[in-house]
Amino acid sequence: MNKKTKRIESIFEFLKDAQFETCPLFPKKMLFEISNICNHKCVFCAYKKMTRPKGVVDPNLFKDIVQQAYELGIKEIGLHSGAEPFACKNLEYFVEICSKIGFEYIYLSTNGTLATQNRIKRVLDAGLHSIKFSINAGDRETYKKIHGKDQFDIACQNVFFTNEYRKKLNRQIYLAVSFIEVDENTNSFAKLLNLFEPVVNEVFRTKAVNQSGQVPEFSSFFKERNLSCVWPFKTINVSREGFLRACCNDYQNFLALEDLRLISLKEAWHSKRFIDFRNNFLYNNAKNTLCYNCLYGVHTPIEPLNRDLCPYEQI
């Protein structure tokens, strides 16, 4: 299977059997925001607009929630959600926890510049199955314009090191590089492809979009392609505070629904607040929510799904 086909197949696999119902079955996939800290300010990302306090998840809370998730049937877990997982000092420990619990697929996405060779070794040794490096330029000068940091060489070196180290391990580890395309970096993609295609499983590019309705200068992915969104119906998304959210790209917690420090994950997934939100999503185009802005590429006034969990202003 070629690289392009593999990417398309993975998307269709995720979309398959999505239950667009107000009370869907418990999903098989989870994204956990172990940290909402990032060392970069990419031009296409809403992170730089965030006013929500930065921090990392409490290890005991993390362990409790992922244990619940596994017992409820979660098979895959991603330890990232719009920020930088290597900003969390407990990343290796969290991977180890998930591996010991029994998750079949543990993965993360990183810009790769806070990683050291030692930390990469420890994360892979702990049981990580997949790592994707977000490198949005094919040369140092363009990279600095897009990422806001002159760290192209660091990111590249860590990709090459990861490839060499995974060869020493007696199991398959998926390695990819992603490229978010904007006008400023389009001409550098060929350089990126030449650099990494020989050493990674996949290099893929996607155009910048209106990320969760918070970067309106970029068009909406869904509006242009006549698609809907499966996140509120097929994936568990947990914030670093321990809130169940409807989406991973929610920098202000406007889509935070329930506090998992107070109720169980199972109760939260089937809570009245989440059912009401899905009903709004299905029958009213998610009006007055962050999802509406994301789906239609607009920046209209919105309300948080749970004001107790989101005292912040719209960005």
Side-chain angles (χ1 to χ4, degrees):
M1 183 180 294
N2 63 43
K3 292 179 172 60
K4 182 176 181 180
T5 302
K6 181 172 183 177
R7 174 66 177 166
I8 293 173
E9 286 290 333
S10 67
I11 293 173
F12 279 117
E13 182 65 26
F14 178 64
L15 294 174
K16 187 176 66 176
D17 300 328
Q19 286 188 310
F20 289 97
E21 302 173 0
T22 57
C23 193
L25 295 174
F26 201 81
K28 302 296 183 184
K29 180 176 179 178
M30 179 182 201
L31 279 174
F32 207 123
E33 181 191 58
I34 59 173
S35 163
N36 68 328
I37 301 170
C38 188
N39 60 320
H40 285 189
K41 295 182 178 180
C42 297
V43 296
F44 51 78
C45 183
Y47 170 82
K48 57 185 177 293
K49 301 180 181 181
M50 181 180 67
T51 62
R52 173 174 150 236
K54 300 171 185 177
V56 299
V57 65
D58 175 79
N60 292 325
L61 179 63
F62 174 85
K63 189 173 183 179
D64 176 60
I65 293 174
V66 298
Q67 183 68 53
Q68 290 183 59
Y70 181 77
E71 291 174 1
L72 288 166
I74 293 287
K75 303 299 182 183
E76 299 184 9
I77 184 167
L79 303 183
H80 65 274
S81 186
E84 175 49 52
F86 276 98
C88 178
K89 65 180 180 180
N90 291 315
L91 173 60
E92 298 90 323
Y93 174 59
F94 291 159
V95 173
E96 184 179 13
I97 287 174
C98 294
S99 181
K100 288 182 176 179
I101 286 175
F103 287 95
E104 296 176 0
Y105 196 67
I106 307 165
Y107 59 98
L108 61 85
S109 176
T110 173
N111 65 45
T113 60
L114 291 180
T116 62
Q117 291 186 5
N118 183 51
R119 290 199 73 191
I120 291 171
K121 284 183 179 180
R122 287 160 55 193
V123 166
L124 296 182
D125 290 344
L128 193 73
H129 299 98
S130 169
I131 182 168
K132 177 180 73 66
F133 288 82
S134 177
I135 303 179
N136 304 292
D139 58 74
R140 182 178 175 184
E141 181 179 351
T142 306
Y143 183 94
K144 186 176 180 179
K145 292 178 182 177
I146 302 301
H147 285 256
K149 291 285 185 72
D150 186 10
Q151 296 184 318
F152 178 72
D153 293 340
I154 296 173
C156 293
Q157 289 165 9
N158 281 333
V159 174
F160 294 131
F161 175 79
T162 301
N163 180 52
E164 291 303 314
Y165 188 69
R166 68 172 175 160
K167 294 177 184 177
K168 301 177 182 179
L169 302 179
N170 190 29
R171 58 187 178 87
Q172 289 190 340
I173 296 173
Y174 176 80
L175 174 62
V177 170
S178 65
F179 175 92
I180 306 298
E181 183 178 352
V182 296
D183 290 343
E184 293 83 358
N185 67 2
T186 299
N187 292 334
S188 74
F189 179 73
K191 297 177 184 177
L192 185 83
L193 193 63
N194 290 335
L195 192 61
F196 292 118
E197 193 171 35
V199 299
V200 303
N201 297 92
E202 182 177 15
V203 178
F204 58 89
R205 70 196 289 186
T206 55
K207 286 187 176 295
V209 297
N210 183 9
Q211 188 183 54
S212 290
Q214 298 168 119
V215 192
E217 53 266 37
F218 297 106
S219 62
S220 169
F221 176 88
F222 299 104
K223 182 179 179 182
E224 289 183 351
R225 293 160 179 80
N226 194 30
L227 297 174
S228 187
C229 179
V230 302
W231 290 107
F233 303 91
K234 201 176 178 183
T235 303
I236 296 294
N237 289 284
V238 180
S239 77
R240 65 96 180 164
E241 297 94 342
F243 302 156
L244 179 66
R245 303 190 296 193
C247 182
C248 59
N249 278 318
D250 177 19
Y251 289 95
Q252 298 286 76
N253 280 341
F254 268 95
L255 297 176
L257 291 141
E258 305 292 349
D259 189 340
L260 299 177
R261 298 170 298 183
L262 303 177
I263 65 173
S264 71
L265 183 57
K266 183 178 181 180
E267 290 174 309
W269 180 254
H270 293 137
S271 69
K272 182 180 184 303
R273 185 178 282 111
F274 211 158
I275 290 173
D276 288 345
F277 165 72
R278 294 193 193 101
N279 186 71
N280 180 24
F281 193 100
L282 290 172
Y283 303 111
N284 198 31
N285 297 321
K287 284 288 183 65
N288 302 318
T289 73
L290 194 65
C291 292
Y292 180 86
N293 287 354
C294 180
L295 287 166
Y296 294 97
V298 295
H299 194 62
T300 62
I302 59 174
E303 289 294 326
L305 300 184
N306 187 338
R307 176 56 76 180
D308 291 340
L309 306 183
C310 178
Y312 318 114
E313 297 302 318
Q314 184 175 357
I315 57 178

